[in-house]
Amino acid sequence: STLLQAKINKCNSIGFEINPFSAFLAKVKTQDYKKQDINLFIKEVANLKKVRSKQKVKIPKLSTIEQLFDKDSLLYLLTLKDKINQIKNRKVSDLLMLAWLGVLEESSNYRKAGRYPKS
């Protein structure tokens, strides 16, 4: 939040973060997006909306993954992730990856009870 506020106030800033997700989030939120990035983002969203087939994708080896996602949803989500990773413009692919990460909980069978996850 400090880096984001510095950007809003047009102050130069440098941040350090040990948590990879928090570092990624800060990077995406403080990125400068040009009109061409936004136009490409819109185009890539339209392309992702067309994804219907569940290609052969590698399913992560997690002991709880079958409890977290039904197989069709998991394959679809992993296909989308693969398509996002193929986008050459890193700013656009990072923004789309953040959106992808944002839908994982709602797409899963996992629900929170208060602060803590609950199946």
Side-chain angles (χ1 to χ4, degrees):
S1 60
T2 302
L3 293 177
L4 187 55
Q5 193 60 49
K7 180 176 177 58
I8 290 167
N9 292 336
K10 299 183 186 321
C11 297
N12 292 330
S13 62
I14 297 174
F16 296 92
E17 177 58 60
I18 194 166
N19 180 303
F21 176 74
S22 295
F24 174 72
L25 183 61
K27 175 184 159 188
V28 174
K29 287 176 117 181
T30 58
Q31 188 68 253
D32 287 321
Y33 296 98
K34 296 181 175 145
K35 186 172 179 135
Q36 74 182 48
D37 298 318
I38 294 166
N39 290 337
L40 181 57
F41 175 83
I42 292 167
K43 178 184 169 197
E44 293 296 350
V45 167
N47 289 338
L48 290 172
K49 284 181 177 181
K50 295 175 189 174
V51 172
R52 294 287 181 253
S53 64
K54 293 136 184 121
Q55 302 172 349
K56 289 197 174 205
V57 290
K58 186 176 181 181
I59 295 176
K61 294 189 185 294
L62 299 170
S63 61
T64 58
I65 200 149
E66 290 178 3
Q67 294 169 317
L68 294 174
F69 297 95
D70 67 74
K71 189 172 183 177
D72 286 341
S73 295
L74 179 61
L75 292 174
Y76 181 69
L77 287 166
L78 291 173
T79 300
L80 287 175
K81 181 182 177 195
D82 187 51
K83 296 285 186 194
I84 291 168
N85 285 331
Q86 292 174 25
I87 296 169
K88 301 220 183 294
N89 182 309
R90 194 56 29 209
K91 288 194 271 186
V92 170
S93 64
D94 284 350
L95 188 55
L96 286 166
M97 184 57 66
L98 183 58
W100 182 85
L101 289 166
V103 302
L104 286 181
E105 183 179 346
E106 190 152 336
S107 301
S108 75
N109 301 323
Y110 213 47
R111 298 294 173 254
K112 288 184 181 176
R115 287 185 51 196
Y116 302 99
K118 174 180 152 181
S119 292

